[in-house]
Amino acid sequence: MNTVLITVIVSFVLAFVIGILLGFFKKIFAVPVNTKVQMIRDVLPGINCGACGYPGCDGFAAACAAGEAPADGCAAGGVKTAQAVAKVLGVKVNAEDQVAVLACRGCKGNCIPRGFYNGVKSCAAAHQAVNGTKMCQWGCVGFGDCVNVCKFDALTMGDDGLPHVNTKKCTGCGICVNTCPMHLLFKVPVSRKGAVALCSNRNENKAMVLKTCKAGCIKCGKCERSCEKDAIKVINGIPVVDYELCNSCGKCIEGCPTHVLALVENII
């Protein structure tokens, strides 16, 4: 009984002494905390997606407080986060929510497959190994690398073999944009209006485009000729729209023989 009692007393004394020493050393070796960093960290979404270019939200908060990162650098947080960070920093921002758009309509029914691919089921691997899985060398590979990296469940692979964006869930973080080896995804402001080309096929040979994909841009120039505002030009094989001139009249869309063009406001 005495042995048990002595053991308990000694344990209590040791714990008390160790607690005092820990408290002492904590004060001696304490690292000063930047309150601004913590305030910024508190308003971030905490996804740690890395889309800002820093190692997670902690890294971005520290860089932001040090003036090395912009207040609107957290794309995943959108406008509300940018405004909250700006308030902490005492600055103003002109942030706008964005969503991802796929510039390819080369689904299973439109685009001819290159053959049977038996390699690693990864868009990046297939692109590097055999330049993709479809006859169109600019087409979506279809293994869903973009879907796999999306931290917001905003991308899903459809039965048609293409990734589909849920614009209500998409934060415009841009991770999928940077992941796609074919560079088929791009970000657009949610307030944008006007025509957009949903094709990345830059082949100038009309017959070859039609042979490889039923929905590819054949560079006929009808979109240019039909635009009364001179807002659309075919540049490097792809229709490019000047959104300061475009008024969403839709004439270029009506004249496109392969239905490559669509109004942004109708797809986001």
Side-chain angles (χ1 to χ4, degrees):
M1 182 67 180
N2 290 336
T3 303
V4 175
L5 184 60
I6 291 172
T7 302
V8 171
I9 294 173
V10 171
S11 299
F12 176 78
V13 172
L14 284 174
F16 180 74
V17 172
I18 292 172
I20 292 176
L21 289 174
L22 286 174
F24 174 75
F25 286 120
K26 180 180 180 181
K27 290 184 178 180
I28 294 297
F29 298 105
V31 178
V33 177
N34 187 330
T35 55
K36 186 176 289 186
V37 172
Q38 188 57 50
M39 290 172 68
I40 294 173
R41 181 64 182 83
D42 289 341
V43 300
L44 296 178
I47 302 298
N48 292 316
C49 61
C52 58
Y54 293 92
C57 293
D58 289 339
F60 173 74
C64 213
E68 298 172 358
D72 59 351
C74 177
V79 175
K80 290 183 179 179
T81 297
Q83 291 174 342
V85 173
K87 185 177 181 180
V88 173
L89 297 174
V91 298
K92 293 184 178 181
V93 292
N94 294 315
E96 186 174 3
D97 286 326
Q98 297 184 321
V99 295
V101 172
L102 179 71
C104 178
R105 295 175 61 245
C107 61
K108 294 178 181 179
N110 287 335
C111 197
I112 300 175
R114 187 183 294 271
F116 179 75
Y117 175 75
N118 196 31
V120 178
K121 297 301 187 288
S122 161
C123 299
H127 174 58
Q128 185 175 14
V130 293
N131 198 27
T133 58
K134 297 173 181 175
M135 290 300 292
C136 173
Q137 66 184 55
W138 292 275
C140 173
V141 179
F143 287 131
D145 286 10
C146 54
V147 176
N148 296 333
V149 298
C150 181
K151 296 180 180 293
F152 304 94
D153 195 30
L155 278 163
T156 54
M157 288 301 300
D159 294 335
D160 57 359
L162 294 177
H164 293 263
V165 182
N166 184 330
T167 56
K168 292 183 179 179
K169 292 184 178 181
C170 181
T171 64
C173 69
I175 297 178
C176 61
V177 175
N178 297 328
T179 299
C180 179
M182 311 305 293
H183 309 292
L184 296 177
L185 288 156
F186 62 98
K187 297 191 297 182
V188 299
V190 295
S191 63
R192 174 166 290 176
K193 298 182 184 300
V196 63
L198 303 180
C199 176
S200 297
N201 190 325
R202 300 181 183 278
N203 196 328
E204 296 288 347
N205 188 319
K206 177 180 178 179
M208 185 58 67
V209 174
L210 290 173
K211 182 178 179 180
T212 58
C213 183
K214 298 177 182 178
C217 175
I218 58 176
K219 334 305 175 195
C220 64
K222 286 186 177 181
C223 53
E224 286 188 4
R225 295 190 295 272
S226 63
C227 182
E228 298 176 354
K229 298 292 183 179
D230 196 31
I232 188 167
K233 300 289 182 184
V234 177
I235 302 175
N236 294 326
I238 297 297
V240 178
V241 178
D242 184 339
Y243 292 102
E244 292 185 0
L245 298 176
C246 181
N247 62 358
S248 293
C249 70
K251 291 184 178 180
C252 59
I253 296 172
E254 296 171 2
C256 180
T258 50
H259 310 291
V260 166
L261 294 157
L263 290 179
V264 178
E265 56 265 40
N266 290 341
I267 61 175
I268 64 174

PDB file of all heavy atoms in Angstrom, residues 9 30 83 129 161 180 201 219 229 236 242-243 261:
ATOM      1  N   ILE A   9       2.505   9.765  -5.413  1.00  0.00           N
ATOM      2  CA  ILE A   9       3.046  11.066  -4.991  1.00  0.00           C
ATOM      3  C   ILE A   9       4.209  11.482  -5.888  1.00  0.00           C
ATOM      4  O   ILE A   9       4.289  12.635  -6.336  1.00  0.00           O
ATOM      5  CB  ILE A   9       3.493  11.004  -3.516  1.00  0.00           C
ATOM      6  CG1 ILE A   9       2.273  10.808  -2.594  1.00  0.00           C
ATOM      7  CG2 ILE A   9       4.250  12.271  -3.132  1.00  0.00           C
ATOM      8  CD1 ILE A   9       2.632  10.564  -1.141  1.00  0.00           C
ATOM      9  N   ALA A  30       9.266  30.933 -27.385  1.00  0.00           N
ATOM     10  CA  ALA A  30       8.041  31.298 -28.101  1.00  0.00           C
ATOM     11  C   ALA A  30       8.364  32.059 -29.388  1.00  0.00           C
ATOM     12  O   ALA A  30       9.247  32.915 -29.405  1.00  0.00           O
ATOM     13  CB  ALA A  30       7.148  32.142 -27.207  1.00  0.00           C
ATOM     14  N   GLN A  83     -12.520  39.946 -50.767  1.00  0.00           N
ATOM     15  CA  GLN A  83     -12.935  41.154 -50.054  1.00  0.00           C
ATOM     16  C   GLN A  83     -12.590  41.071 -48.571  1.00  0.00           C
ATOM     17  O   GLN A  83     -12.196  42.070 -47.960  1.00  0.00           O
ATOM     18  CB  GLN A  83     -14.439  41.371 -50.245  1.00  0.00           C
ATOM     19  CG  GLN A  83     -14.820  41.747 -51.665  1.00  0.00           C
ATOM     20  CD  GLN A  83     -16.324  41.810 -51.874  1.00  0.00           C
ATOM     21  OE1 GLN A  83     -17.110  41.276 -51.086  1.00  0.00           O
ATOM     22  NE2 GLN A  83     -16.751  42.470 -52.950  1.00  0.00           N
ATOM     23  N   ALA A 129       2.639   9.686 -74.249  1.00  0.00           N
ATOM     24  CA  ALA A 129       3.001   8.425 -74.895  1.00  0.00           C
ATOM     25  C   ALA A 129       2.595   8.362 -76.369  1.00  0.00           C
ATOM     26  O   ALA A 129       3.412   8.009 -77.233  1.00  0.00           O
ATOM     27  CB  ALA A 129       2.374   7.262 -74.129  1.00  0.00           C
ATOM     28  N   GLY A 161     -17.774  10.757 -72.564  1.00  0.00           N
ATOM     29  CA  GLY A 161     -16.316  10.750 -72.558  1.00  0.00           C
ATOM     30  C   GLY A 161     -15.678  12.104 -72.343  1.00  0.00           C
ATOM     31  O   GLY A 161     -14.460  12.243 -72.479  1.00  0.00           O
ATOM     32  N   CYS A 180      -4.901  20.008 -67.154  1.00  0.00           N
ATOM     33  CA  CYS A 180      -5.207  19.468 -68.487  1.00  0.00           C
ATOM     34  C   CYS A 180      -3.992  19.550 -69.418  1.00  0.00           C
ATOM     35  O   CYS A 180      -3.529  20.650 -69.743  1.00  0.00           O
ATOM     36  CB  CYS A 180      -6.377  20.226 -69.105  1.00  0.00           C
ATOM     37  SG  CYS A 180      -6.795  19.647 -70.779  1.00  0.00           S
ATOM     38  N   ASN A 201      -9.345  22.681 -82.022  1.00  0.00           N
ATOM     39  CA  ASN A 201      -8.709  22.092 -83.201  1.00  0.00           C
ATOM     40  C   ASN A 201      -8.157  23.199 -84.108  1.00  0.00           C
ATOM     41  O   ASN A 201      -8.909  23.982 -84.672  1.00  0.00           O
ATOM     42  CB  ASN A 201      -9.726  21.242 -83.968  1.00  0.00           C
ATOM     43  CG  ASN A 201      -9.077  20.411 -85.057  1.00  0.00           C
ATOM     44  OD1 ASN A 201      -8.121  20.832 -85.690  1.00  0.00           O
ATOM     45  ND2 ASN A 201      -9.615  19.224 -85.273  1.00  0.00           N
ATOM     46  N   LYS A 219     -12.767  26.443 -89.909  1.00  0.00           N
ATOM     47  CA  LYS A 219     -12.128  27.710 -90.328  1.00  0.00           C
ATOM     48  C   LYS A 219     -12.771  28.302 -91.579  1.00  0.00           C
ATOM     49  O   LYS A 219     -12.109  28.862 -92.444  1.00  0.00           O
ATOM     50  CB  LYS A 219     -10.618  27.526 -90.600  1.00  0.00           C
ATOM     51  CG  LYS A 219      -9.915  26.399 -89.878  1.00  0.00           C
ATOM     52  CD  LYS A 219     -10.045  26.423 -88.391  1.00  0.00           C
ATOM     53  CE  LYS A 219      -9.382  25.160 -87.827  1.00  0.00           C
ATOM     54  NZ  LYS A 219      -9.732  24.883 -86.434  1.00  0.00           N
ATOM     55  N   LYS A 229     -20.491  43.625 -85.686  1.00  0.00           N
ATOM     56  CA  LYS A 229     -19.665  44.427 -84.784  1.00  0.00           C
ATOM     57  C   LYS A 229     -18.170  44.191 -84.999  1.00  0.00           C
ATOM     58  O   LYS A 229     -17.343  44.816 -84.333  1.00  0.00           O
ATOM     59  CB  LYS A 229     -20.014  44.099 -83.324  1.00  0.00           C
ATOM     60  CG  LYS A 229     -21.458  44.415 -82.938  1.00  0.00           C
ATOM     61  CD  LYS A 229     -21.703  45.906 -82.939  1.00  0.00           C
ATOM     62  CE  LYS A 229     -23.109  46.223 -82.475  1.00  0.00           C
ATOM     63  NZ  LYS A 229     -23.377  47.690 -82.430  1.00  0.00           N
ATOM     64  N   ASN A 236      -5.090  31.834 -85.447  1.00  0.00           N
ATOM     65  CA  ASN A 236      -4.413  30.543 -85.254  1.00  0.00           C
ATOM     66  C   ASN A 236      -5.401  29.378 -85.292  1.00  0.00           C
ATOM     67  O   ASN A 236      -5.270  28.408 -84.546  1.00  0.00           O
ATOM     68  CB  ASN A 236      -3.636  30.529 -83.931  1.00  0.00           C
ATOM     69  CG  ASN A 236      -2.483  31.517 -83.924  1.00  0.00           C
ATOM     70  OD1 ASN A 236      -1.850  31.755 -84.949  1.00  0.00           O
ATOM     71  ND2 ASN A 236      -2.202  32.098 -82.770  1.00  0.00           N
ATOM     72  N   ASP A 242     -13.786  39.495 -79.234  1.00  0.00           N
ATOM     73  CA  ASP A 242     -13.498  40.722 -78.488  1.00  0.00           C
ATOM     74  C   ASP A 242     -14.765  41.064 -77.705  1.00  0.00           C
ATOM     75  O   ASP A 242     -15.758  41.511 -78.269  1.00  0.00           O
ATOM     76  CB  ASP A 242     -13.150  41.861 -79.455  1.00  0.00           C
ATOM     77  CG  ASP A 242     -12.754  43.140 -78.736  1.00  0.00           C
ATOM     78  OD1 ASP A 242     -13.103  43.300 -77.544  1.00  0.00           O
ATOM     79  OD2 ASP A 242     -12.092  44.005 -79.362  1.00  0.00           O
ATOM     80  N   TYR A 243     -14.734  40.833 -76.396  1.00  0.00           N
ATOM     81  CA  TYR A 243     -15.945  40.980 -75.585  1.00  0.00           C
ATOM     82  C   TYR A 243     -16.337  42.435 -75.331  1.00  0.00           C
ATOM     83  O   TYR A 243     -17.435  42.701 -74.853  1.00  0.00           O
ATOM     84  CB  TYR A 243     -15.777  40.225 -74.266  1.00  0.00           C
ATOM     85  CG  TYR A 243     -15.735  38.732 -74.491  1.00  0.00           C
ATOM     86  CD1 TYR A 243     -14.525  38.050 -74.477  1.00  0.00           C
ATOM     87  CD2 TYR A 243     -16.897  38.023 -74.773  1.00  0.00           C
ATOM     88  CE1 TYR A 243     -14.477  36.686 -74.720  1.00  0.00           C
ATOM     89  CE2 TYR A 243     -16.859  36.662 -75.025  1.00  0.00           C
ATOM     90  CZ  TYR A 243     -15.651  35.997 -75.000  1.00  0.00           C
ATOM     91  OH  TYR A 243     -15.613  34.654 -75.260  1.00  0.00           O
ATOM     92  N   LEU A 261     -19.652  27.488 -81.900  1.00  0.00           N
ATOM     93  CA  LEU A 261     -19.838  28.671 -81.062  1.00  0.00           C
ATOM     94  C   LEU A 261     -21.084  28.576 -80.179  1.00  0.00           C
ATOM     95  O   LEU A 261     -22.071  27.960 -80.538  1.00  0.00           O
ATOM     96  CB  LEU A 261     -19.921  29.924 -81.923  1.00  0.00           C
ATOM     97  CG  LEU A 261     -18.624  30.273 -82.681  1.00  0.00           C
ATOM     98  CD1 LEU A 261     -18.931  31.142 -83.889  1.00  0.00           C
ATOM     99  CD2 LEU A 261     -17.644  30.972 -81.761  1.00  0.00           C
TER     100      LEU A 261
END
